[in-house]
Amino acid sequence: MRCLPLIWLFLLTACAGRTLYPLPGKGGKGAKLPIQTSRPYNIAHRGSNGEIPEETAPAYLRAIEEGADFIETDVLSTKDGVLICFHDFTLQNTTNVASHKEFADRNRTYEVQGSNMTGFFTFDFTLKELKKLRTKQRFSFRNQQYNGKYPIITFEEFITIARDAPRVVGIYPEIKNPVLMNQHVKWPGGVRFEDKVVETLKKYGYGGSYLSKKWLKRPLFIQSFAPSSLVYISNLIDSPKVLLIDDVTVLTEDTNQTYAEITSDVYFNYIKQYVVGIGPWKDTVVPVSNNYTQAPTDLVKRAHAHNLKVHPYTYRNENEFLHLNFSQDPYKEYEYWINEIGVDGLFTDFTGSLHNYQEWTSPLSETSKSPRQLLSQIAALVLPYEKA
Amino acid sequence: MNRHFWGKMRDQRIVPKLFARGGTSSQIVYILWVTKTGIFVKCLIWLSLVTLCTGRTLYQRPGKGVKDAATKQPIQTSRPYNIAHRGSNGEIPEETKAAYLRAIEDGTDFIETDILSSKDGVLICFHDVILDLTTDVASRKEFAGRNRTYDVQGFKIPGFFTFDFTLKELKTLRTKQRYAFRDQQYNGKYPIITFEEFLAIAQDAPRVVGIYPEIKNPVLMNQHVKWPGGKRFEDKVVETLKKHGYGGAYLSKQWLNKPLFIQSFAPSSLVYISNLTDSPKVLLIDDVIRPTQDTNQTYAEITSDAYFTYIKEYVVGIGPWKDTIVPVTNNYMLTPTDLVKRAHAHKLQVHPYTYRNENQFLHFNFSQDPYKEYEYWIKEIGVDGLFTDFTGSLHNYQEWASPLPETSKSTRQLLSHIASLVRPYAKA
């Protein structure tokens, strides 16, 4: 009889007591390592797609493991209006759709930005159908061993990956091909593609202007090649937006404007009310001749003069992507862009390499490090003495 | 000097120049002046000749850097050696002066080269026994008839062989970049250099830079080139090194002044020269399927413990092909073999070859990142030196991840102790 209260207490504790470790999926209330804001952002372009097929959960998990500040994705839509993470509007380059006999008749031709394109378009498949597919590595010279393993993920699944990370990891979604999406997919209530993107972000608590307290908890940049989409959503969400800029010969998909026009001072004056930065193709920032970089243009200078950040794309380790000045060395490329050109963020396929470079040459201040990280740093410093 | 003398001096334009020297010269001039002018002119010429022949120039002459070795920044010996494989050949055509100068600029510890011979027995820096792949020889009409086929280590190889060309002829050729995916802009610019020119490059460096020459294809060289006095290819190599002051056991004072490793795939050549020079030697080891060119021994044999016990009398280390140390499957590395462990147990250093930045040479474990490869080989495998085509990248890695100590020895020992204490945390 005397044991009863004890048993009761025991049961109560077992059922109501908290575990000592933080539960998964709950992120930890403010105990997470915050995002760094003191050196250029390391943006994992499509996740660690240098190693794992792009825009899959493992590619994003790997990027977080490797130290990315932001995980980046492209948002497209399915036939039934579900937002997915996928770069191409056709499926054949990065999935095994071509080997699915049941979808053979979905190979169609549509006009996209003035050209006729043939393929399996995302908006011709429901989410259920897309989930049957498996992704593959886009480039043949990258690791093929994960081909056929991972499915396409939804935008919400992507957000969850960021939210569940053991430290604060930002997201960098792109409103991709909005003109095409709005053409082929209709949402109830006349809601547009851009509305759905913002709606999803808000649902997960994203919002807040750049570097605000709210933003630092859930860092976010919304990017797009379509300026009108960014202007459109400026009323819906105050999160920082970035205007992507294509090659010098390409016109904007929505407003049909030239490169020269949207990189002019006049345009910067206008667009800076809506965006915090630009994301140009790096070979337009510093032109190239015979695979050697030439004198930089004044693009970065002028953007900075307008208080616009510059996040160029895309940095890749493979020598075919490295201009000869860099001696086939991706770290020399990072060094040039960060120290000489002074960019504010870099879209990279190899977030681990950029992280290494930054950790070695511009380590973050000690206050943000745990005792274990400090000891790790000391270990690296004194390791050479061990051999002496 | 009286006024009479000065008056006469001013009249003559040449004399003021002599006064610039002052002192004894002026007095001599005065004495000569008061005698006959003809004698004066003769003595002037004589004096000038004496000055020209014996006086030192104010600038340092090339190839004389030797005397200043003591004041040069010494070679580092506290972290694995950065060996510029054929110079910075990732950027500039291999084994040219420009490639070696670039390597020194890039921070290398050692510049590496391969020694072959010309027809007239001059030692040159060149890797292939044929000229086809890295020179413009094929476009030279005057040499069209030199395309021949010889037996090389059991294989019939056609091409333009170095030992079919005199040095003078070789010097008319121009080198080119071996790999199509590397910088082609220097093709046709630089000549082949001699071994002695290579040595001068090292000696003239602004800091102490070691050399790492390979006695290349000695069997073939001795077959096709004869030196007077029955001298062998190996003799000529050592002779040249000694002529330029190289010698001394590993880490001796003499060695630190002029660091040197002599490498070869031919163990008998290294054994042969062990009587001629006490410089440290390194046995290169080819792929698992290749027998040694001189003794016809297998990989298994020359990497056995028994062999290590024997060869360590003659060499300080081995230079294996890195994919035999850590085998590879589907472009992924597997578990390392015990080669490095066993070599180290025999106090043999390990300097694997060759590290290259291009992703086609990087195994997938390294995420197309050459620095991750350096990190693995230095931290996990623990090699003592690395032959790299990209000495600048290795230098960056080492400078960022393990910068050289600035401190004195006692502090160094203390830090070594701390290192062993915190080492486990490095992987956490």
Side-chain angles (χ1 to χ4, degrees):
Chain A
M1 213 46 201
R2 247 178 272 155
C3 292
L4 264 172
L6 196 61
I7 294 167
W8 165 244
L9 254 177
F10 178 74
L11 279 168
L12 194 67
T13 313
C15 296
R18 270 192 66 241
T19 50
L20 293 170
Y21 52 85
L23 292 169
K26 293 292 168 201
K29 290 184 168 64
K32 282 202 208 183
L33 195 68
I35 191 169
Q36 71 79 21
T37 52
S38 55
R39 63 188 188 203
Y41 293 125
N42 182 340
I43 309 156
H45 182 242
R46 306 186 207 167
S48 284
N49 86 89
E51 307 170 53
I52 297 171
E54 61 189 57
E55 313 222 0
T56 56
Y60 289 122
L61 290 170
R62 181 98 181 104
I64 292 168
E65 219 175 60
E66 288 184 309
D69 295 323
F70 286 84
I71 48 175
E72 188 259 0
T73 195
D74 305 90
V75 182
L76 288 175
S77 178
T78 67
K79 186 176 186 174
D80 43 346
V82 180
L83 301 182
I84 52 165
C85 291
F86 207 76
H87 178 270
D88 300 352
F89 41 75
T90 53
L91 300 157
Q92 58 271 14
N93 288 332
T94 54
T95 74
N96 60 358
V97 67
S99 65
H100 278 255
K101 304 261 184 291
E102 70 273 33
F103 299 138
D105 65 328
R106 309 274 180 105
N107 197 347
R108 293 171 191 159
T109 304
Y110 293 99
E111 188 185 309
V112 182
Q113 281 168 246
S115 307
N116 276 338
M117 299 286 179
T118 303
F120 299 85
F121 284 73
T122 67
F123 52 73
D124 278 342
F125 291 73
T126 62
L127 178 69
K128 196 168 169 202
E129 289 168 336
L130 285 178
K131 280 291 190 181
K132 292 195 178 140
L133 306 179
R134 289 295 174 265
T135 57
K136 64 179 182 182
Q137 174 53 255
R138 177 189 292 275
F139 294 114
S140 59
F141 45 78
R142 288 184 183 171
N143 203 338
Q144 303 296 310
Q145 71 154 322
Y146 305 107
N147 290 0
K149 284 192 166 175
Y150 308 126
I152 297 172
I153 59 173
T154 64
F155 186 37
E156 295 204 24
E157 286 167 339
F158 167 81
I159 292 173
T160 313
I161 292 169
R163 193 193 57 183
D164 289 351
R167 55 183 176 86
V168 174
V169 173
I171 59 169
Y172 211 130
E174 178 183 340
I175 300 175
K176 194 98 186 151
N177 293 104
V179 175
L180 192 71
M181 291 301 110
N182 283 318
Q183 249 184 309
H184 293 273
V185 186
K186 301 297 172 206
W187 287 270
V191 163
R192 283 168 58 164
F193 179 54
E194 296 92 329
D195 293 306
K196 297 303 290 178
V197 173
V198 173
E199 192 183 285
T200 314
L201 289 166
K202 281 179 158 175
K203 175 177 165 190
Y204 285 87
Y206 283 89
S209 59
Y210 183 53
L211 295 180
S212 64
K213 205 169 164 207
K214 188 175 180 196
W215 186 89
L216 287 165
K217 275 216 172 91
R218 288 193 176 80
L220 161 68
F221 285 104
I222 306 172
Q223 47 169 333
S224 189
F225 280 100
S228 68
S229 297
L230 297 173
V231 171
Y232 175 78
I233 65 168
S234 61
N235 294 323
L236 308 174
I237 190 167
D238 55 353
S239 299
K241 302 155 197 75
V242 170
L243 176 64
L244 296 172
I245 303 176
D246 212 325
D247 209 348
V248 295
T249 53
V250 181
L251 305 172
T252 55
E253 58 186 87
D254 52 345
T255 59
N256 223 29
Q257 285 167 298
T258 63
Y259 176 92
E261 197 176 336
I262 64 170
T263 56
S264 65
D265 273 316
V266 170
Y267 192 80
F268 282 171
N269 251 331
Y270 157 69
I271 204 70
K272 72 185 185 196
Q273 307 170 70
Y274 303 100
V275 304
V276 301
I278 56 168
W281 162 224
K282 63 177 166 75
D283 281 357
T284 67
V285 179
V286 183
V288 176
S289 190
N290 290 330
N291 203 12
Y292 262 85
T293 54
Q294 307 297 304
T297 62
D298 62 356
L299 184 65
V300 175
K301 270 209 182 79
R302 291 190 298 107
H304 282 167
H306 282 91
N307 275 333
L308 287 167
K309 305 275 175 220
V310 183
H311 299 170
Y313 62 91
T314 306
Y315 299 87
R316 299 181 166 103
N317 284 4
E318 290 96 350
N319 58 286
E320 67 181 273
F321 299 116
L322 295 168
H323 302 307
L324 290 169
N325 321 49
F326 302 124
S327 320
Q328 328 281 56
D329 184 343
Y331 289 62
K332 287 191 180 178
E333 190 182 38
Y334 290 136
E335 186 166 52
Y336 174 78
W337 283 91
I338 290 173
N339 293 339
E340 303 257 355
I341 303 297
V343 297
D344 310 285
L346 299 90
F347 289 95
T348 172
D349 280 0
F350 291 92
T351 198
S353 304
L354 176 53
H355 184 70
N356 271 355
Y357 171 74
Q358 291 187 303
E359 282 294 287
W360 286 333
T361 57
S362 55
L364 300 168
S365 63
E366 312 296 66
T367 51
S368 63
K369 287 203 190 265
S370 68
R372 182 175 284 186
Q373 284 168 318
L374 270 171
L375 282 165
S376 169
Q377 211 173 16
I378 296 171
L381 284 170
V382 300
L383 211 56
Y385 295 91
E386 213 182 12
K387 289 189 195 280
Chain B
M1 308 224 179
N2 57 30
R3 234 180 262 140
H4 168 75
F5 169 71
W6 274 109
K8 289 233 167 169
M9 286 295 169
R10 271 199 297 273
D11 290 341
Q12 301 294 323
R13 272 175 244 270
I14 54 166
V15 173
K17 284 183 193 168
L18 290 172
F19 270 76
R21 291 248 173 233
T24 319
S25 309
S26 324
Q27 288 172 8
I28 292 170
V29 164
Y30 168 70
I31 292 162
L32 291 170
W33 181 252
V34 300
T35 59
K36 291 181 184 174
T37 311
I39 297 171
F40 171 74
V41 170
K42 279 178 195 159
C43 286
L44 182 63
I45 293 166
W46 180 79
L47 252 180
S48 308
L49 281 168
V50 169
T51 312
L52 280 167
C53 295
T54 62
R56 268 193 66 239
T57 49
L58 294 169
Y59 57 84
Q60 208 163 54
R61 280 157 60 194
K64 292 289 167 201
V66 173
K67 285 194 172 68
D68 297 314
T71 57
K72 283 198 206 185
Q73 185 193 318
I75 190 168
Q76 72 80 21
T77 52
S78 56
R79 64 188 188 202
Y81 293 124
N82 182 340
I83 309 157
H85 182 243
R86 307 186 208 167
S88 283
N89 86 89
E91 308 172 55
I92 298 172
E94 61 188 58
E95 314 222 358
T96 55
K97 181 171 182 178
Y100 290 123
L101 290 173
R102 182 96 182 107
I104 292 169
E105 221 175 66
D106 277 344
T108 196
D109 295 324
F110 285 84
I111 47 175
E112 189 259 1
T113 195
D114 305 89
I115 307 173
L116 288 175
S117 178
S118 68
K119 184 176 187 177
D120 42 346
V122 180
L123 301 183
I124 54 165
C125 292
F126 205 76
H127 179 270
D128 301 350
V129 295
I130 54 172
L131 300 157
D132 312 41
L133 298 175
T134 55
T135 73
D136 59 355
V137 69
S139 67
R140 300 295 181 117
K141 307 251 181 296
E142 66 273 32
F143 299 135
R146 305 271 182 105
N147 197 342
R148 294 173 192 156
T149 304
Y150 292 101
D151 187 292
V152 182
Q153 282 169 246
F155 298 96
K156 294 239 175 292
I157 309 280
F160 297 87
F161 284 73
T162 66
F163 52 73
D164 279 341
F165 290 74
T166 61
L167 179 69
K168 195 166 169 204
E169 289 169 333
L170 287 174
K171 279 290 191 182
T172 63
L173 304 177
R174 289 295 175 265
T175 57
K176 64 180 184 184
Q177 175 53 256
R178 180 187 290 274
Y179 295 112
F181 46 79
R182 288 184 182 171
D183 202 339
Q184 303 296 312
Q185 71 156 318
Y186 305 106
N187 291 0
K189 283 194 168 173
Y190 306 125
I192 297 172
I193 60 173
T194 63
F195 184 37
E196 294 206 71
E197 287 167 337
F198 169 80
L199 295 175
I201 293 168
Q203 281 162 277
D204 289 347
R207 55 183 175 86
V208 174
V209 173
I211 58 167
Y212 211 131
E214 179 182 340
I215 301 176
K216 193 98 188 151
N217 294 99
V219 175
L220 192 72
M221 292 302 111
N222 284 319
Q223 248 183 308
H224 292 274
V225 186
K226 302 297 171 205
W227 285 271
K231 287 227 172 101
R232 285 169 56 164
F233 180 54
E234 296 91 329
D235 292 307
K236 298 302 288 178
V237 172
V238 174
E239 192 182 281
T240 314
L241 288 166
K242 281 180 159 174
K243 174 179 164 191
H244 288 261
Y246 283 89
Y250 180 55
L251 295 180
S252 65
K253 203 167 169 214
Q254 189 189 5
W255 186 89
L256 288 164
N257 256 354
K258 289 189 163 79
L260 159 69
F261 286 104
I262 305 172
Q263 48 169 334
S264 188
F265 280 100
S268 67
S269 297
L270 296 174
V271 171
Y272 175 79
I273 64 168
S274 62
N275 294 322
L276 308 174
T277 176
D278 55 353
S279 297
K281 303 156 197 74
V282 170
L283 175 65
L284 297 170
I285 304 177
D286 211 328
D287 209 347
V288 296
I289 47 164
R290 301 290 219 100
T292 53
Q293 58 182 262
D294 53 343
T295 59
N296 214 31
Q297 286 166 297
T298 63
Y299 176 92
E301 198 177 337
I302 64 170
T303 57
S304 64
D305 273 315
Y307 193 80
F308 281 172
T309 305
Y310 155 70
I311 203 67
K312 72 185 186 197
E313 313 276 315
Y314 304 99
V315 304
V316 301
I318 55 169
W321 164 224
K322 61 178 166 74
D323 280 357
T324 67
I325 301 174
V326 184
V328 176
T329 220
N330 290 331
N331 205 15
Y332 258 86
M333 295 185 316
L334 305 172
T335 318
T337 62
D338 61 357
L339 184 65
V340 174
K341 270 209 182 76
R342 289 191 298 108
H344 283 168
H346 282 91
K347 294 210 156 43
L348 287 167
Q349 292 193 36
V350 182
H351 300 171
Y353 61 91
T354 305
Y355 299 86
R356 299 181 166 104
N357 284 4
E358 290 96 349
N359 59 288
Q360 64 183 279
F361 298 117
L362 295 168
H363 303 308
F364 282 134
N365 319 54
F366 302 126
S367 323
Q368 328 281 56
D369 185 340
Y371 289 60
K372 287 191 179 178
E373 188 182 40
Y374 290 135
E375 187 165 52
Y376 174 80
W377 283 92
I378 290 172
K379 296 216 163 113
E380 304 261 353
I381 303 296
V383 296
D384 311 284
L386 300 90
F387 289 95
T388 171
D389 279 2
F390 291 92
T391 196
S393 304
L394 176 52
H395 184 70
N396 271 355
Y397 170 73
Q398 291 187 302
E399 283 293 288
W400 291 336
S402 55
L404 292 170
E406 328 252 31
T407 52
S408 66
K409 210 169 181 197
S410 57
T411 319
R412 187 180 287 188
Q413 285 168 330
L414 181 66
L415 284 165
S416 171
H417 185 59
I418 296 173
S420 56
L421 287 172
V422 300
R423 194 157 198 198
Y425 295 91
K427 291 196 194 281

